[in-house]
Amino acid sequence: MTMIRIANAQFWVHDQDEALDFYTGKLGWEVRADVTMEAWGFRWLCVAPPGADGPALVLMPVPEQPMLDAASSAQLSDLVAKGAGGTLFLETDDCKAAYDELSARGVQFNDPPTVQPYGIDTSFRDPSGNNIRLTQVLEFDPGRH
């Protein structure tokens, strides 16, 4: 079978520059691509954790016309702000240390690192409202609380 792999994932964002500042400034990620196609009025903006081999995160503006009419665009923008745009799941070797480091950079977490059956977990949102979970995966233990 021909090799197929995930190249990128995407979040809708309200403002690409604000999102870029959050992901690079607060999370410490690097820009993988930042290309503006003037003829299309389109900017392809991708970020990823430094040195990461895997997929990048595309920071895609909430579409307007001709892709969506004004009412649909506003509705999508509202849903993203409420966290309905999907969730990015990140893993770390030390959830508490990552929480402390990112908190010091200005990331506002929804909850402190909490022990779950699958590991230690916390969450935050980007400026557009997208959900991001940060997990230190441990050996699964259904009795762990």
Side-chain angles (χ1 to χ4, degrees):
M1 179 176 211
T2 303
M3 172 59 77
I4 298 174
R5 64 182 165 269
I6 297 172
N8 298 301
Q10 173 253 306
F11 265 167
W12 296 118
V13 298
H14 298 131
D15 181 303
Q16 283 182 304
D17 289 325
E18 179 183 43
L20 178 61
D21 182 56
F22 176 81
Y23 284 94
T24 59
K26 292 191 177 179
L27 297 188
W29 290 16
E30 61 189 16
V31 175
R32 289 270 184 89
D34 189 353
V35 179
T36 300
M37 293 164 250
E38 295 291 339
W40 297 356
F42 179 79
R43 180 181 182 194
W44 179 256
L45 179 58
C46 303
V47 295
D53 233 4
L57 180 63
V58 180
L59 304 174
M60 188 75 66
V62 172
E64 298 175 344
Q65 290 190 354
M67 187 173 178
L68 293 178
D69 60 61
S72 297
S73 179
Q75 186 176 33
L76 177 56
S77 185
D78 288 345
L79 288 170
V80 169
K82 293 175 182 175
T87 301
L88 179 64
F89 296 91
L90 303 175
E91 288 185 8
T92 181
D93 293 334
D94 188 335
C95 190
K96 176 71 170 98
Y99 173 88
D100 290 343
E101 180 182 333
L102 294 175
S103 292
R105 290 186 189 167
V107 174
Q108 295 181 347
F109 284 83
N110 299 322
D111 45 19
T114 306
V115 176
Q116 303 290 351
Y118 51 85
I120 302 168
D121 187 78
T122 186
S123 67
F124 57 95
R125 289 185 178 201
D126 74 5
S128 295
N130 292 298
N131 291 306
I132 303 170
R133 298 218 59 94
L134 179 62
T135 304
Q136 178 182 345
V137 177
L138 302 175
E139 184 176 327
F140 182 72
D141 179 358
R144 187 185 302 130
H145 297 3

